[in-house]
């Protein structure tokens, strides 16, 4: 009597593809990388000492493409999950988040629709929160904390350290800062305010949670 050690989802599978889910994921990542490279074909890459607007997107797209190639390779060499049904919620919200970021970070016009440039201070958190709801387990407070933490990190990384020309805030807010401040001074101050707001939201949520636990009565009716 022979005992099969083959994974249950791999039994009865025929053909060279041993992991259909990995194959589908790899093809999707390759298509996404190709689209990103095509859309950024007119952007200058610059040099390592003076990065252009196209360097980071191009190398990110190349990294995504290499991950796609790895998934395609493993789909033919290792047993994996079968291709199952999936919900449109995740991909739809991720696409909406990308579009929301694109139309809000800089001024956008399409026919009668016109959106003023809101900068990274609005576009970043908006994209993170919308994209975060792609997971059904997401909570608004956690997404707000993440957006208020990740956005200032991106501000310092791209605007301060890499000197990329990224709009940080709406032009209407430029008067809130002293006129003698440089663009980097404004960027650092804005990042510090957002990071402090993330800390406040985090501890406020923890305090509310503890208060709720204390006020819940036990089975005897006492608090």
């Amino acid at each position: 009597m022979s005992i099969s050690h083959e994974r249950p989802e791999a039994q009865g599978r025929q053909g060279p593809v041993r992991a259909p889910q990995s194959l589908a994921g790899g093809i999707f990542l390759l298509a996404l990388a190709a689209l990103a490279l095509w859309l950024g074909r007119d952007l200058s890459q610059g040099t390592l000492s003076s990065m252009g607007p196209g360097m980071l997107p191009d190398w990110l797209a190349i990294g995504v493409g290499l991950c796609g190639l790895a998934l395609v390779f493993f789909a033919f060499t290792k047993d994996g999950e079968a291709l199952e049904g999936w919900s449109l919620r995740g991909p739809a919200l991720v696409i909406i988040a990308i579009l929301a970021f694109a139309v809000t970070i800089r001024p956008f016009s399409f026919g009668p629709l016109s959106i003023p440039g809101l900068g990274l201070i609005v576009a970043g958190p908006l994209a993170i929160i919308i994209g975060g709801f792609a997971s059904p387990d997401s909570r608004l407070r956690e997404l707000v904390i993440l957006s208020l933490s990740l956005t200032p990190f991106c501000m310092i990384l791209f605007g301060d350290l890499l000197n990329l020309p990224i709009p940080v805030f709406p032009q209407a807010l430029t008067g809130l800062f002293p006129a003698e401040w440089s663009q980097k001074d404004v960027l650092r101050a804005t990042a510090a305010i957002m990071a402090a707001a993330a800390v406040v939201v985090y501890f406020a949520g923890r305090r509310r949670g503890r208060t709720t636990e204390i006020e819940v009565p036990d089975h005897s009716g006492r608090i």
Side-chain angles (χ1 to χ4, degrees):
M1 181 177 64
S2 62
I3 299 177
S4 174
H5 298 283
E6 194 174 12
R7 297 178 62 176
E9 63 271 15
Q11 292 180 356
R13 188 177 297 158
Q14 298 179 355
V17 180
R18 301 172 60 180
Q21 196 170 100
S22 296
L23 179 62
I27 294 175
F28 175 78
L29 291 182
L30 287 172
L32 185 63
L35 177 63
L37 290 173
W38 180 75
L39 291 175
R41 65 191 184 280
D42 296 330
L43 299 177
S44 172
Q45 287 203 2
T47 61
L48 291 177
S49 59
S50 180
M51 294 179 60
M55 178 172 287
L56 184 62
D58 284 353
W59 282 104
L60 284 176
I62 292 172
V64 170
L66 291 176
C67 291
L69 286 175
L71 285 176
V72 171
F73 173 77
F74 289 131
F76 292 94
T77 57
K78 291 186 177 182
D79 293 330
E81 302 291 336
L83 191 61
E84 301 176 354
W86 45 277
S87 173
L88 289 175
R89 170 177 174 165
L93 285 175
V94 170
I95 293 175
I96 292 174
I98 295 173
L99 293 176
F101 182 86
V103 301
T104 55
I105 191 169
R106 296 181 185 275
F108 175 81
S109 297
F110 183 76
L113 177 64
S114 179
I115 301 176
L118 301 178
L120 190 59
I121 191 174
V122 174
L126 181 63
I128 293 172
I129 292 174
I130 295 176
F133 278 113
S135 171
D137 299 327
S138 299
R139 297 179 180 178
L140 179 60
R141 186 178 70 87
E142 296 173 351
L143 292 176
V144 170
I145 295 173
L146 177 63
S147 66
L148 292 176
S149 304
L150 188 57
T151 301
F153 172 78
C154 294
M155 288 181 180
I156 298 299
L157 176 61
F158 299 119
D160 192 355
L161 300 179
L162 299 179
N163 295 314
L164 294 179
I166 299 177
V168 176
F169 45 82
Q171 291 296 323
L173 299 181
T174 54
L176 297 178
F177 299 94
E180 63 273 13
W181 281 20
S182 66
Q183 179 71 17
K184 286 192 175 183
D185 291 333
V186 174
L187 185 147
R188 293 165 185 165
T190 306
I193 293 172
M194 296 187 71
V199 174
V200 170
V201 174
Y202 173 76
F203 283 105
R206 290 193 60 181
R207 183 176 181 181
R208 172 183 287 184
R210 291 177 179 176
T211 304
T212 303
E213 291 177 359
I214 294 174
E215 293 179 351
V216 173
D218 58 17
H219 294 290
S220 63
R222 294 174 297 178
I223 296 180

